Amino acid sequence: MKQFFDFFPVLVFVVAYFVTRDMILATKILIAASALQIAGYWLLKRSVEKMHLATFAILVVMGGLTVALQDKSFIMWKPTIVNWLFA
């Protein structure tokens, strides 16, 4: 169950992208799903994993740039930045 919870935002993003074929809309949905993930984790455990917070912070920055500038290349950099951070 924890793995589903950890990958929930990614799953929602993939489904949103394949349904709409719109990367900007899928990015907005990804940010909302990640915020929902953190809120849900907080409600269940009364704490949030640092990995989720770091990933969310990077997502807000890169996703925000994607939405604001209408350029999908920013959200494509997010996994690389997260991997660099945790390496």
Side-chain angles (χ1 to χ4, degrees):
M1 187 68 177
K2 183 176 178 335
Q3 285 197 351
F4 171 75
F5 194 71
D6 287 345
F7 287 104
F8 169 73
V10 175
L11 178 66
V12 171
F13 173 78
V14 168
V15 169
Y17 178 71
F18 282 118
V19 168
T20 65
R21 294 288 182 197
D22 183 5
M23 184 72 73
I24 307 302
L25 177 61
T27 301
K28 292 176 186 177
I29 292 171
L30 174 63
I31 294 169
S34 187
L36 187 65
Q37 174 194 37
I38 290 174
Y41 201 83
W42 173 256
L43 290 173
L44 291 174
K45 303 286 183 175
R46 291 293 175 206
S47 67
V48 180
E49 293 182 16
K50 290 180 183 179
M51 181 183 77
H52 289 155
L53 289 177
T55 303
F56 182 68
I58 294 168
L59 174 63
V60 168
V61 171
M62 300 308 283
L65 287 170
T66 297
V67 172
L69 300 175
Q70 299 290 306
D71 184 1
K72 64 183 181 179
S73 63
F74 290 106
I75 199 64
M76 291 178 180
W77 271 94
K78 183 226 165 231
T80 303
I81 293 171
V82 169
N83 287 335
W84 283 345
L85 179 69
F86 292 122

